[in-house]
Amino acid sequence: MLLNLVAVETDGGAGAIVWVGILVIGVVPLLITAGIALWPYFRRRGRRKYGAIPRRQQRITHTAFTALVAALVIVGTTSFASTVSMWDYIKALNSSYDIGNYYVEPTITSDAHKRNLVLIYLESGEGTIADDQLFEKDAFASLREATLASEGWQTIESLREYKGGGWTMAGLVSTQCGIPLKGTSSAMGSGALNNLGGEVDTYLGGVTCLGDVLDEHGYTNVFLGGANASFAAKDVFLSGHGYSEIKDLSAWRAAGEPEKNFRDWGLSDERLMAHAKEEIDVLHAEAEKSGQPFNLTLLTLDTHAPLHIFDYCDVDTENATTSVFSCSMTQVAGFVNHMKEKGYLDDTAVVIMGDHLKQLSTGDPFEEQLSGNHNRTIFNRIWIPGADSSSSLRADVDQLNMYPSILEAAGLTLQDQEAGLGVSAFASSVPTDSAQAMTPDSYAELLDSASARFYEEAWAGERAIE
C-alpha cells in the first residue's frame, strides 16, 4: 500500500535493520558510483590486452559514464538528504518505545447523551497570531468575540502541535485518530504522505478514528472543504472512517460557483461558510426529524500560503497576511453566529481549532514574529450545551488529546476518558499508564519511534491493537 523505503522491524533485531538501512540507502549508492567511476580504468586494461577501441566509441562511452556518475552523485545525495535524516532514522529504529504499547482503542460505555457536533479546522490557525503586541492587530478578534467565555465557550490553554506534525493531514489524523501520522517506515514523512492521492485504497484502516466511532453510534458524518479532497488522499481517509458525504472543490465547481470565488486550487472561506450555513440548516432539520445526530466537519483554506486575497477581503494592514487571517476568522465567526441565531447551540457541540501551527519558511511574512518563539500554540474554542462555565479544561496538551476530547464533547461516555494516545482535556488527571503520563523526553521519543509493527497493521487495514 505504502512504499516502504527500508525494511521494517518485525520481531526485534532493530540493530540489523539499522545496518540494512545504512547499506541500502548509504553504502550501495556509493559502491555503484565507485564501480561506474572505475569502469574506464578496467576498459583501459582491456585495451592493452585485446587491442584498441575505435576513437568515436571511446568518446561516447566516456561521456555516458561521466554523465551517469554525476547524475547518481547529485540525485542520490539530494534524494537521501531530503528524504531521510539518517541519525533520526537510526534513533527511531533503536528506540525502546512503541506506540502500539500505549495505544488505547476507544471504548464507548454510553451514548445516551449524544449530541450534534460541528468540528471546524482553521487552516494554519495558530493562536499566537491573536497577539496584537506581536502583530498589527488581533486577527482572531471577530472569532474571539463570537466565542466568549462569559457565554460558556471554553478554551484549552496552550494547545500544542504534536512533535512531528505540522501539516493538514497530520492535524486531521492526530485529532481524529489520536496517533502521529507516519508511513510504514520512519523515512516516509509529510512529503511522501502528501503525494499519496489515488495510490491508496484505504488510509489507516487498522485504526479506529472519530468518524468510525460516530458512525457506529448513528451519526451522519459530512465534510466540507474548499480544496480538492483527493489531495494527500484526504477523501480516502474521510470516506474510510465513517464520512458518508464529502464536498470539495469539484462539488463547488459543479454547483456553478463563479470563478471569482476560487483561487487556483480552492473555494474562498466566504463561500465555504455560506455553504456551511445551508448544510447545517438541512442537517439540523433532519436530525430533529430522525432523532439521530450529525457531525459537520469544516476545513478553511484562505490562510494557506502562498498569500491570496479574495475580493471579499479588505486589506487594512501593512502586512496583508494579517488581514487575510482576520477576514477568514470573520467568516468563521459569521457561521458561529448563524448557529447561535438559529438556536443550534442548544443541542450542538462545537469544536474550533487550528489544523497546525503556521508553517514558516525563509521570507515568510510572519517569520520575524514566530521564528524562535517558544510559546506558539494552536487557537481553539469548545462549546458544550449546558456545560458548567466554571469548569476548566486540562491545559498544555497536544493534538493527540483532542480525539478523546471531541468524543466527549459529542456527549459520548468514554471509558477512562482515553482514545489513541490521548486523554480527554475534560479529564482533570491522566491514568498513570497513559502516554500522557510519560516524562516530556520519553513522550517525545515515543512519538519519534518507528513503531513498525503498529504502523504496518494500521496501514494494512488490520486492527492496530490485539
Side-chain angles (χ1 to χ4, degrees), residues 303-321:
T303 49
H304 195 293
L307 181 67
H308 180 91
I309 304 171
F310 286 99
D311 291 344
Y312 83 86
C313 183
D314 294 325
V315 176
D316 59 2
T317 54
E318 183 176 343
N319 186 334
T321 302

Side-chain angles (χ1 to χ4, degrees), residues 7 11 312 327 337 341:
D11 295 317
Y312 83 86
C327 291
N337 288 331
E341 293 163 4

Side-chain angles (χ1 to χ4, degrees), residues 174-411:
S174 61
T175 58
Q176 294 203 19
C177 307
I179 60 172
L181 176 55
K182 296 184 181 183
T184 51
S185 81
S186 59
M188 177 160 283
S190 61
L193 290 166
N194 269 346
N195 289 328
L196 285 179
E199 297 176 17
V200 291
D201 298 321
T202 63
Y203 199 114
L204 291 174
V207 179
T208 303
C209 299
L210 176 69
D212 301 313
V213 177
L214 297 180
D215 179 61
E216 184 178 340
H217 289 273
Y219 281 72
T220 299
N221 295 308
V222 177
F223 174 85
L224 270 60
N228 190 337
S230 65
F231 178 75
K234 190 190 300 116
D235 54 349
V236 180
F237 170 72
L238 293 168
S239 61
H241 289 285
Y243 282 79
S244 58
E245 191 170 7
I246 300 170
K247 294 183 179 180
D248 66 348
L249 176 62
S250 59
W252 311 132
R253 288 197 181 281
E257 279 283 349
E259 195 58 37
K260 67 182 181 67
N261 294 333
F262 296 95
R263 65 189 299 180
D264 52 349
W265 54 271
L267 182 71
S268 74
D269 289 345
E270 178 192 42
R271 292 302 302 152
L272 179 67
M273 291 303 148
H275 286 292
K277 292 173 185 177
E278 296 174 356
E279 191 72 36
I280 196 170
D281 288 347
V282 173
L283 288 171
H284 196 275
E286 291 177 348
E288 286 187 323
K289 185 182 302 183
S290 67
Q292 292 300 313
F294 65 84
N295 158 37
L296 175 61
T297 300
L298 312 174
L299 171 60
T300 67
L301 65 70
D302 282 12
T303 49
H304 195 293
L307 181 67
H308 180 91
I309 304 171
F310 286 99
D311 291 344
Y312 83 86
C313 183
D314 294 325
V315 176
D316 59 2
T317 54
E318 183 176 343
N319 186 334
T321 302
T322 303
S323 289
V324 169
F325 265 86
S326 178
C327 291
S328 175
M329 299 311 136
T330 298
Q331 296 306 311
V332 177
F335 176 66
V336 171
N337 288 331
H338 174 80
M339 290 189 288
K340 189 182 305 182
E341 293 163 4
K342 289 282 191 174
Y344 299 157
L345 296 186
D346 294 341
D347 58 13
T348 301
V350 182
V351 178
I352 306 172
M353 61 184 163
D355 61 347
H356 54 76
L357 299 177
K358 189 181 188 309
Q359 296 176 339
L360 295 181
S361 57
T362 303
D364 187 278
F366 289 166
E367 182 179 15
E368 180 181 347
Q369 295 91 339
L370 298 179
S371 181
N373 188 325
H374 300 297
N375 296 311
R376 300 176 63 187
T377 59
I378 295 174
F379 181 90
N380 69 95
R381 290 290 187 272
I382 298 176
W383 170 263
I384 308 295
D388 180 4
S389 59
S390 64
S391 64
S392 60
L393 302 178
R394 201 171 78 258
D396 196 29
V397 301
D398 68 12
Q399 292 169 297
L400 304 180
N401 294 276
M402 290 308 299
Y403 178 27
S405 304
I406 296 169
L407 287 172
E408 291 202 320

Side-chain angles (χ1 to χ4, degrees), residues 20-205:
V20 170
I22 294 174
L23 286 171
V24 172
I25 300 176
V27 177
V28 172
L30 292 177
L31 292 176
I32 294 173
T33 302
I36 294 175
L38 290 172
W39 180 251
Y41 166 74
F42 290 111
R43 286 184 61 83
R44 285 195 296 273
R45 291 191 61 181
R47 283 201 301 271
R48 296 192 193 104
K49 185 173 182 179
Y50 299 110
I53 297 173
R55 186 177 298 276
R56 176 179 174 80
Q57 184 176 342
Q58 291 180 37
R59 285 199 303 270
I60 293 173
T61 301
H62 178 74
T63 301
F65 276 92
T66 300
L68 281 173
V69 171
L72 183 56
V73 171
I74 294 171
V75 175
T77 302
T78 303
S79 176
F80 177 76
S82 63
T83 305
V84 180
S85 170
M86 179 57 76
W87 177 241
D88 290 343
Y89 178 69
I90 291 174
K91 284 177 62 180
L93 285 177
N94 272 324
S95 174
S96 60
Y97 291 109
D98 189 287
I99 285 172
N101 294 332
Y102 291 88
Y103 176 85
V104 175
E105 182 78 8
T107 301
I108 303 302
T109 58
S110 174
D111 66 359
H113 302 292
K114 63 185 178 182
R115 59 175 71 95
N116 303 322
L117 172 69
V118 171
L119 180 56
I120 306 175
Y121 289 98
L122 309 174
E123 171 59 47
S124 305
E126 178 166 345
T128 321
I129 301 171
D131 187 346
D132 58 9
Q133 299 300 307
L134 286 176
F135 300 90
E136 295 174 72
K137 68 175 182 178
D138 175 0
F140 287 82
S142 57
L143 186 51
R144 284 153 58 97
E145 180 66 26
T147 57
L148 294 172
S150 60
E151 295 181 358
W153 288 84
Q154 297 174 280
T155 301
I156 298 173
E157 296 295 336
S158 299
L159 175 60
R160 296 176 285 106
E161 181 180 281
Y162 81 86
K163 187 177 186 294
W167 72 101
T168 295
M169 284 307 300
L172 293 181
V173 168
S174 61
T175 58
Q176 294 203 19
C177 307
I179 60 172
L181 176 55
K182 296 184 181 183
T184 51
S185 81
S186 59
M188 177 160 283
S190 61
L193 290 166
N194 269 346
N195 289 328
L196 285 179
E199 297 176 17
V200 291
D201 298 321
T202 63
Y203 199 114
L204 291 174

